[in-house]
Amino acid sequence: MTNGTARPDPAWVAQTAKRLKALYSAVVYDIMDEMGLPHQCLDLAIAPLDRSMQVAGPAYTVAAGPDMRERAEMPPNTKLADFGVFTQMYDGCVVVVAAAGERQSGIWGELMSNASRARGATGVVIDGGIRDGRLVREIDGLSVFARYTSPIESLRRSRIHDLEVPISMTGTISSQVRVDPGDWIFGDEDGVLVIPKDALDEVLAKSEEAKDIEDKVREEVQSGVPVIDVYNKYGRL
């Protein structure tokens, strides 16, 4: 994805994200559950700053964690030099931040969110905190999901230490959910799902089929058809 690996075509990313956003997390989860992928839902405490927000795109992974050192104490890191956390982002990516259990400070904020959006990111998902919530909500084209908001600065409390590596996010059914760079993230007010990149095409096609059926079920139920008849006809409710 980065570091010399080809990035996804922006047009394909935008079209795939549009298809996902026409769905909802519940139907996508049902399909993954049926496919033997039940452990892909992040902790339900990771929620949108605004309930209307949706996020969909390939994961740009950020590994972070508690760190009490001053900047001057940190060893050189070529990945992070010259604000590398931003320069490696790409159009349509979703920044996914694993904060490794830090639960006090806001490791991301409004300026970092604006910088991410300027580099093409369309979403941020943080297993941890964010600052400047009101200002973040005002950024056009960026959906942000976080565990909590906090006014506390991350310096001397937590720090980013790697980019575009497999990360561990807290799960709901499982204690951890692995996110690899390029896995797809899809979230709405119900929760955030991690779709393994190798399963994306199948998950998306089957989810669209399931939604079509649910649309028909909804229409018939609303028109007064007995629920049992609708269920017997479509096998979904």
Side-chain angles (χ1 to χ4, degrees):
M1 192 72 66
T2 59
N3 299 328
T5 302
R7 295 171 178 173
D9 175 60
W12 172 78
V13 170
Q15 180 60 30
T16 303
K18 182 178 180 180
R19 290 174 65 188
L20 274 171
K21 287 182 176 181
L23 302 168
Y24 35 91
S25 61
V27 73
V28 176
Y29 179 83
D30 286 349
I31 291 302
M32 288 200 292
D33 198 16
E34 293 169 5
M35 290 173 57
L37 296 168
H39 304 298
Q40 301 304 115
C41 183
L42 300 187
D43 191 330
L44 298 179
I46 301 172
L49 294 188
D50 185 290
R51 290 177 66 87
S52 66
M53 288 178 172
Q54 286 181 296
V55 65
Y60 174 86
T61 60
V62 177
D67 195 324
M68 299 181 70
R69 290 175 290 182
E70 299 281 355
R71 287 193 177 98
E73 298 179 83
M74 298 299 295
N77 186 322
T78 55
K79 275 190 178 182
L80 300 177
D82 300 323
F83 295 98
V85 65
F86 303 113
T87 57
Q88 297 181 60
M89 292 179 187
Y90 53 91
D91 287 344
C93 72
V94 174
V95 182
V96 185
V97 185
E102 205 279 336
R103 294 290 182 263
Q104 291 81 40
S105 66
I107 198 167
W108 215 263
E110 177 258 333
L111 295 178
M112 294 182 75
S113 296
N114 265 307
S116 302
R117 183 69 191 103
R119 291 297 302 177
T122 58
V124 180
V125 176
I126 308 172
D127 190 357
I130 191 164
R131 306 202 312 161
D132 313 311
R134 177 179 62 81
L135 295 173
V136 170
R137 288 197 303 272
E138 294 174 355
I139 299 173
D140 186 47
L142 189 75
S143 295
V144 177
F145 289 60
R147 180 177 290 278
Y148 58 87
T149 57
S150 171
I152 299 171
E153 164 68 60
S154 61
L155 180 63
R156 297 183 301 277
R157 297 178 179 92
S158 60
R159 186 179 298 276
I160 294 169
H161 56 79
D162 210 347
L163 305 172
E164 287 290 77
V165 294
I167 59 174
S168 172
M169 300 283 278
T170 309
T172 297
I173 292 181
S174 59
S175 61
Q176 295 177 305
V177 178
R178 175 172 171 149
V179 184
D180 288 316
D183 284 346
W184 271 70
I185 306 299
F186 176 53
D188 55 24
E189 63 181 305
D190 285 349
V192 181
L193 306 177
V194 179
I195 307 172
K197 52 192 168 186
D198 293 341
L200 175 64
D201 290 343
E202 183 177 0
V203 168
L204 189 52
K206 288 184 175 180
S207 296
E208 289 172 333
E209 291 174 5
K211 180 183 180 296
D212 287 343
I213 293 173
E214 291 192 1
D215 287 345
K216 295 174 183 176
V217 168
R218 184 180 305 108
E219 181 179 349
E220 294 195 18
V221 167
Q222 290 175 342
S223 71
V225 178
V227 172
I228 184 62
D229 293 343
V230 176
Y231 179 77
N232 287 338
K233 180 178 180 180
Y234 295 106
R236 297 189 77 92
L237 189 66

